[in-house]
Amino acid sequence: MTDPDVFLSFRNVKKTYDRRTLVVRDFTLDVRRGEFVTLLGPSGSGKTTVLMMLAGFEHVSSGDIIIDGASVTRTAPYERNIGMVFQNYALFPHMTVAENLAYPLRVRKMPRNEINDRVAQYLRLVELEDFGNRHPGQLSGGQRQRVALARALIFEPALVLMDEPLSALDKKLREQMQFEITRLHRKLGCTMVYVTHDQAEALTMSDRIAVFNHGVVQQYAPPDELYEQPANAFVAGFIGENNLIKGTGAAGSGTSASVTLHDGTVLTAAQGDFREPSGPCLLSVRPEKLRIAVDGSAPESGANVLRAGFVTQHYVGDFIRYYFELADGTRIIVKTMNDDRAPALTEGQSTLLYWSPEHCFAFHPQSHPAQGDTP
Ligand code: ADP
Ligand code: MG
């Protein structure tokens, strides 16, 4: 049960601000030494609250947080020796860049000549060697964020926390900084807990992602596993694009389920979290897994086949996004590479869509946020 590589553990952590509602309901998570773990969830799901408890700025209502084998639940923030970067940089505006970087070293009573060397080294590391004498107000947003990054890392903490550090930057700069952060993380070998509501950012940067909703971890897995094998309808809907089709499920033998749609069409799915003998369920399938059968071309045998009416298509350049509708109005999206397989369809055309059963999942409707989620 205990993994010797585990560096950080949350054990049944709960948090209430008002003694009535739990914003973190029951948070249990292990992070390995040197791992880059992201907490991904919608706004208000409790991500910042978890980081604040880890940093020591908020009390844990119950449960325990363990860093490197020792409980820190009663340890003051400065004794936890954690590096932190927040959304709004929080640099000292009256200090130069070099003074900002020196600050965490001065409070740790590092000798002055060592401080100067270390500051020069970290200015180089974030490619700001010519900016040491500037004040934060004289820097661009991206440069300020690199200073904030260097200041969080300069005292070489074993654990670094980042709370949506890139959300104020434009797309291009954000992608560049994603690359910088993962590069520095690998180079320095610290353990990273990163928070974002941006699923693309989480997928590109993380070793593992904890998908978080209403203070509960929905799934904790590497990026490809989250995408290919979502645990429930919430994860399937939150990570990437997804078609969700309502049906009535019958848990089949072993790992497959058969799902009957309103019009009687029967489809086969891998069992997600659907375990009932029968009942309402959601069938989930990614747009790029669907194929369009045109001109009487037959779907391969064993495939799921669905009849749908073509609505419209959007040209995206490298691929084409087709919109279909089922008889009950359910919208189905199909993504096809823009090559000679991309069919030309006319509005209202009745079309067969097909896909392999292994690419779709039967889920409980309850785990989808649109269906409500009560404690
Ligand atoms: P996230 O970072 O995922 O957006 P937060 O942790 O900031 O979520 O917030 C989770 C919930 O806790 C929200 O409903 C928020 O309003 C509430 N909350 C956050 N901080 C406080 C606070 N200091 N006092 C009272 N409620 C708070
Ligand atoms: Mg937050």
Side-chain angles (χ1 to χ4, degrees), residues 17 23 41-50 58 163-164:
Y17 287 106
V23 298
S43 174
S45 59
K47 305 180 298 293
T48 295
T49 300
V50 167
E58 282 292 347
D163 192 357
E164 314 235 10

Side-chain angles (χ1 to χ4, degrees), residues 61-338:
S61 301
S62 74
D64 204 2
I65 299 175
I66 297 152
I67 300 177
D68 208 6
S71 169
V72 295
T73 315
R74 291 176 202 294
T75 309
Y78 65 91
E79 291 173 323
R80 301 188 189 192
N81 212 34
I82 294 174
M84 273 171 270
V85 184
F86 298 105
Q87 182 175 348
N88 49 2
Y89 328 123
L91 297 174
F92 301 118
H94 58 286
M95 291 185 191
T96 65
V97 168
E99 286 164 353
N100 265 282
L101 294 193
Y103 181 80
L105 305 176
R106 282 202 285 122
V107 301
R108 286 172 175 79
K109 312 240 182 296
M110 186 184 260
R112 173 138 301 277
N113 59 329
E114 282 179 43
I115 290 182
N116 292 340
D117 289 349
R118 183 74 71 87
V119 168
Q121 178 198 345
Y122 274 77
L123 282 174
R124 274 198 306 279
L125 206 60
V126 294
E127 292 171 11
L128 290 173
E129 48 269 75
D130 298 330
F131 293 81
N133 293 324
R134 294 227 195 154
H135 282 82
Q138 300 170 300
L139 301 176
S140 71
Q143 290 167 335
R144 275 203 292 270
Q145 196 54 313
R146 263 144 66 200
V147 177
L149 195 60
R151 196 181 56 175
L153 300 171
I154 197 165
F155 60 101
E156 308 199 331
L159 181 59
V160 177
L161 314 183
M162 298 196 183
D163 192 357
E164 314 235 10
L166 308 182
S167 55
L169 306 180
D170 64 45
K171 185 170 183 289
K172 190 143 187 223
L173 201 51
R174 202 160 64 225
E175 284 170 2
Q176 191 184 326
M177 287 297 296
Q178 290 169 2
F179 181 79
E180 283 305 303
I181 290 171
T182 46
R183 181 181 69 90
L184 286 171
H185 167 254
R186 270 200 303 276
K187 191 178 166 88
L188 301 172
C190 56
T191 303
M192 176 79 81
V193 182
Y194 191 93
V195 161
T196 183
H197 66 274
D198 178 339
Q199 45 110 359
E201 185 165 301
L203 291 175
T204 21
M205 297 179 80
S206 320
D207 293 318
R208 278 194 289 177
I209 301 168
V211 181
F212 203 64
N213 195 29
H214 296 321
V216 178
V217 176
Q218 306 287 320
Q219 189 172 4
Y220 184 34
D224 55 341
E225 193 178 320
L226 279 186
Y227 189 83
E228 300 287 343
Q229 290 166 325
N232 58 42
F234 177 80
V235 176
F238 198 70
I239 309 273
E241 253 193 317
N242 202 41
N243 292 300
L244 288 171
I245 306 167
K246 283 198 197 105
T248 304
S253 56
T255 55
S256 80
S258 81
V259 177
T260 307
L261 307 192
H262 73 287
D263 66 354
T265 306
V266 178
L267 303 170
T268 307
Q271 236 162 271
D273 62 351
F274 187 79
R275 295 279 181 277
E276 288 170 26
S278 73
C281 80
L282 281 174
L283 190 135
S284 130
V285 58
R286 302 274 183 209
E288 74 275 15
K289 304 293 188 195
L290 291 166
R291 299 275 173 270
I292 302 166
V294 276
D295 302 334
S297 73
E300 57 229 42
S301 70
N304 282 322
V305 183
L306 195 56
R307 183 163 292 283
F310 174 66
V311 179
T312 189
Q313 70 184 57
H314 289 164
Y315 178 80
V316 194
D318 52 348
F319 63 90
I320 296 174
R321 191 195 299 278
Y322 293 85
Y323 293 85
F324 294 89
E325 221 168 65
L326 303 185
D328 70 345
T330 303
R331 174 66 56 85
I332 304 288
I333 299 171
V334 180
K335 262 166 87 172
T336 302
M337 288 309 291
N338 183 13

